[in-house]
Amino acid sequence: MDNRIALVTGAGRGIGRAIALSLAAAGRRVVVTARTKEQLESLVGSIGEAGGQSLAIVADLVDQNAPAQIVERVKKTWGPIEILVNNAGIGSSESPQQLVDYDDDFWDRSFAVNVNAPYRLTKLVLADMLQAGWGRIINIASINGKVPVLHGAAYTASKHAMLGLTKVTALEVGDKGITANAVCPGVTATLMNDKRLQYDAQRTGNTPEQIEESASLLGRRLDPDEVAAMAVFLAGDSAGAINGQALNVCGGRCFN
Ligand code: NAP
């Protein structure tokens, strides 16, 4: 396998961690970033034990200077980023509200992490990708980029925006050896979704187990590894003809 340089945001846990581990297992040098240092250290340890190479960068993507600082640090250490996985995200369950009562600050933070940081990172890595004539941009959106989630205006709107960003990126650089695609996970067993499960249980009077059973046609939530498999495929040379798509990995929950 090639040892291309991949950046995975929000890699400390959940889907991002699974993607980072899978990319490292496929031979990529993986830069992992998030706010929680201990989770990144644990991940770097696991990648190293499996014989992979990784570099941890602690950063808060609400800070609009963070993307440039991350990209610069990677360039100085290893070189230009060849695979960008915009995975970090803020879920609806951090502050679920109906729109009329929506928390403006939460709206802004959600857009900062779910849209503005991916926009800035994409812009920053594109120049090098264009020069190299090869690149992969993989945006971890959501099925809520296609269908709404109740009391999740910022999440729904930001994930729709991420699909728009993916499509325009693909349109502009698709003839230059670069692809930009979105992965739209369904309900996946991570900390983010644990919180949503609890909120929905409280809201509906169902048990978390009942809600989990209806999460997909599989009768369960997805495992982060099942989402990571799609991201790893999109990062490879064999996915070069797939561009500008929003690919569901949802166990048959969403048919859009
Ligand atoms: P998670 O377990 O909560 O992980 C989110 C990751 O993002 C963490 O590593 C977190 O690290 C990082 N992050 C959050 N805020 C950040 C910030 N301000 N700056 C830097 N990093 C930040 O969630 P997940 O379920 O794996 O979600 C990963 C992606 O999949 C998200 O984009 C989410 O919207 C999407 N998704 C998830 C599901 C699901 O059911 N789980 C479904 C569809 C889509 P720190 O807190 O340490 O910063």
Side-chain angles (χ1 to χ4, degrees):
M1 294 297 288
D2 63 73
N3 68 346
R4 284 179 173 130
I5 300 166
L7 169 67
V8 184
T9 67
R13 58 176 185 266
I15 292 170
R17 182 182 164 92
I19 293 172
L21 284 165
S22 303
L23 285 172
R28 276 63 198 258
R29 287 175 283 169
V30 187
V31 184
V32 294
T33 182
R35 289 170 303 180
T36 312
K37 193 176 173 206
E38 299 72 33
Q39 292 183 348
L40 293 179
E41 283 172 351
S42 149
L43 173 60
V44 166
S46 300
I47 290 174
E49 277 165 29
Q53 271 183 282
S54 63
L55 167 71
I57 302 177
V58 175
D60 183 350
L61 292 176
V62 170
D63 174 1
Q64 60 176 15
N65 298 313
Q69 289 163 357
I70 294 167
V71 170
E72 214 33 54
R73 170 110 183 262
V74 179
K75 266 192 182 181
K76 279 191 183 139
T77 312
W78 278 344
I81 291 161
E82 296 160 291
I83 299 163
L84 169 64
V85 184
N86 283 309
N87 167 79
I90 298 183
S92 59
S93 50
E94 301 257 325
S95 182
Q97 295 286 347
Q98 52 184 349
L99 192 55
V100 69
D101 297 320
Y102 217 74
D103 176 346
D104 295 340
D105 177 58
F106 180 67
W107 173 277
D108 290 342
R109 275 192 294 119
S110 297
F111 268 74
V113 176
N114 297 3
V115 185
N116 298 350
Y119 154 70
R120 287 198 169 86
L121 284 167
T122 300
K123 194 177 158 186
L124 287 160
V125 301
L126 269 182
D128 288 322
M129 288 181 177
L130 285 165
Q131 209 173 353
W134 196 93
R136 294 283 184 268
I137 294 163
I138 298 152
N139 293 326
I140 308 303
S142 168
I143 55 171
N144 298 129
K146 300 179 176 185
V147 293
V149 60
L150 193 69
H151 302 163
Y155 192 71
T156 302
S158 65
K159 293 299 183 178
H160 277 70
M162 196 179 219
L163 296 194
L165 176 67
T166 305
K167 289 172 193 170
V168 81
T169 309
L171 190 65
E172 290 185 5
V173 299
D175 61 344
K176 305 281 192 304
I178 302 166
T179 67
N181 290 289
V183 178
C184 297
V187 183
T188 308
T190 68
L191 181 64
M192 180 187 289
N193 189 256
D194 289 346
K195 291 181 190 168
R196 182 71 207 188
L197 208 68
Q198 276 159 21
Y199 176 67
D200 284 340
Q202 188 188 9
R203 187 176 60 79
T204 61
N206 290 314
T207 64
E209 291 73 25
Q210 284 169 323
I211 293 172
E212 193 160 358
E213 270 172 34
S214 63
S216 76
L217 295 181
L218 303 168
R220 61 170 173 82
R221 296 191 287 176
L222 303 187
D223 186 273
D225 285 334
E226 293 174 301
V227 179
M230 175 65 88
V232 172
F233 171 63
L234 291 171
D237 283 315
S238 52
I242 303 170
N243 204 5
Q245 303 305 303
L247 300 151
N248 296 352
V249 180
C250 64
R253 185 181 172 108
C254 175
F255 291 88
N256 295 8

